[in-house]
Amino acid sequence: MATNSFTIAIDGPAAAGKGTISKGVAAHFGFAHLDTGLLYRAVGRRTLEGMDPLAAAQALTADELEQGDLRTAEIAQAASKVAVIPEVRAALVDFQRAFARRAGGAVLDGRDIGTVICPDAEVKLFVTASAEVRAERRFLELSAKGADITRDQVLADVRERDARDAERITAPMKPADDAILLDTSDLSIEDALSRAIAAIAQKRPAA
Ligand code: DC
């Protein structure tokens, strides 16, 4: 473990604001950021191309996370499905833990970072919002990219993914016992980010 490592785990359901908060927190503290959903999305994309999910997880490279648009509704569902498979999850653990303990600090966002990947993270946040608010945000994001999708479809997708992510046996999405809860339903992104930064600053020893 790097001696000057500091890990911030940010978990929560889809479109709760984790991604924006994680990027903002990483920029504020000068830490590296890993969106762990991209790992499952990259594996999900491979399965849509016909590859076996475990083989795809074992062969995954960091480069794949940068290639093409992984943030489509179809890939999100495929990601949530491969994420149920314990062997796929196990194949992705080492990469995430190595990232978490790199020198200089790291922010990881996902579903099981505070509970399974980094149970010893110095700070854990669980970011939520109502399913309706999250679906509206995701709808705006996807339609801005030109996706042909309705609000109702996005809400149904969000609910389906929530249920699958929270009810799976291995590493279900849930807050760690010592996570700080942040409900962003009624918060602007600026307010949500400043609350996250304030909560983290309290736990961070003065530099
Ligand atoms: O955060 P996201 O929407 O990009 O994640 C896509 C899917 O990947 C999500 O529905 C469940 C899975 N996932 C996971 O199981 N564990 C993580 N740490 C991150 C994502």
Side-chain angles (χ1 to χ4, degrees):
M1 185 200 297
T3 44
N4 63 343
S5 71
F6 188 93
T7 308
I8 301 173
I10 304 188
D11 291 302
K18 289 189 312 284
T20 316
I21 291 175
S22 302
K23 279 194 208 95
V25 160
H28 180 87
F29 291 102
F31 289 180
H33 170 225
L34 178 65
D35 170 358
T36 64
L38 289 181
L39 304 177
Y40 296 91
R41 284 174 183 259
V43 174
R45 176 170 60 188
R46 288 276 185 226
T47 63
L48 293 172
E49 293 163 0
M51 196 166 172
D52 169 71
L54 181 55
Q58 286 169 338
L60 189 73
T61 63
D63 285 351
E64 266 179 74
L65 309 182
E66 315 276 330
Q67 287 158 9
D69 183 9
L70 285 169
R71 294 175 208 282
T72 68
E74 192 192 13
I75 293 178
Q77 285 292 350
S80 172
K81 287 180 190 160
V82 299
V84 171
I85 306 168
E87 294 80 7
V88 165
R89 306 196 69 83
L92 302 175
V93 167
D94 288 352
F95 180 83
Q96 295 174 82
R97 289 200 178 137
F99 190 97
R101 285 302 176 199
R102 66 204 278 142
V107 181
L108 285 82
D109 73 278
R111 302 289 187 290
D112 63 338
I113 308 302
T115 49
V116 174
I117 302 297
C118 305
D120 298 329
E122 279 73 13
V123 189
K124 300 175 187 174
L125 295 183
F126 194 84
V127 182
T128 57
S130 72
E132 289 73 15
V133 166
R134 291 186 288 116
E136 179 65 18
R137 290 178 187 159
R138 192 42 62 89
F139 171 73
L140 295 174
E141 202 178 294
L142 291 171
S143 25
K145 287 199 295 191
D148 181 18
I149 199 156
T150 65
R151 285 190 160 76
D152 284 352
Q153 275 170 334
V154 178
L155 180 58
D157 267 15
V158 159
R159 291 211 163 110
E160 188 188 332
R161 210 138 70 87
D162 280 358
R164 201 186 294 115
D165 294 347
E167 287 163 18
R168 67 180 177 229
I169 307 289
T170 308
M173 168 178 71
K174 63 170 183 199
D177 291 340
D178 51 351
I180 302 161
L181 299 184
L182 182 59
D183 187 329
T184 67
S185 303
D186 299 318
L187 294 180
S188 67
I189 190 58
E190 292 78 18
D191 287 344
L193 177 57
S194 41
R195 285 189 200 201
I197 289 172
I200 295 162
Q202 279 197 349
K203 301 223 173 193
R204 202 172 172 234

